[in-house]
Amino acid sequence: MPVSAATEKKLREAMARLLAGEPLHTDGALTKENLAREAKVSHATVHRAEEVLAEWDAKVARPVLRTPGEVQRDETIADSRKRLREATTRATQLQGKLDALATVTATLYYENLELKKKTSVQGQRRIAALPASGPWLE
């Protein structure tokens, strides 16, 4: 028993909305079950509308398993992961520079101590210590 013209019209409008990614009553997945829900008809009615079903099968040869919202979400997650990788790489580079700077500073500190020891042992104080306060610290 074929479907009425009004039901066929509802199914075609629902199909158009689903294919355009603008569903009103479903999550947007391109399934026959969603076609029925979007048209607000029973699943059995969809299977009686043979012409609409044939058109559906032709347009949706491979059912899309993700809704447009899921695709958008996945793209957002992929973009966030990319930005996180870039930020992590940058942080690793900066940490390497910081470690190198700390090593150079420590080396200079110990070399300075050794120079102070050498000059005080020899009795010749060539290195003058700066006062702890002064206009240069303000």
Side-chain angles (χ1 to χ4, degrees), residues 12-67:
R12 289 190 187 283
E13 289 171 353
M15 184 184 343
R17 286 194 303 272
L18 286 171
L19 293 173
E22 300 170 352
L24 299 176
H25 308 292
T26 65
D27 61 3
L30 298 178
T31 63
K32 292 175 187 173
E33 184 176 333
N34 272 354
L35 178 61
R37 286 184 186 154
E38 189 68 27
K40 294 191 172 183
V41 298
S42 72
H43 193 70
T45 301
V46 171
H47 287 281
R48 284 198 323 267
E50 293 175 2
E51 287 181 24
V52 174
L53 199 55
E55 188 178 327
W56 175 266
D57 288 338
K59 291 184 178 183
V60 186
R62 285 183 298 146
V64 177
L65 301 177
R66 297 183 308 162
T67 66

Side-chain angles (χ1 to χ4, degrees), residues 74-94:
D74 293 345
E75 288 172 356
T76 301
I77 290 171
D79 182 54
S80 296
R81 285 182 177 158
K82 178 184 173 196
R83 288 194 331 244
L84 179 60
R85 275 192 306 275
E86 291 169 354
T88 301
T89 300
R90 179 75 176 135
T92 301
Q93 291 171 347
L94 290 174

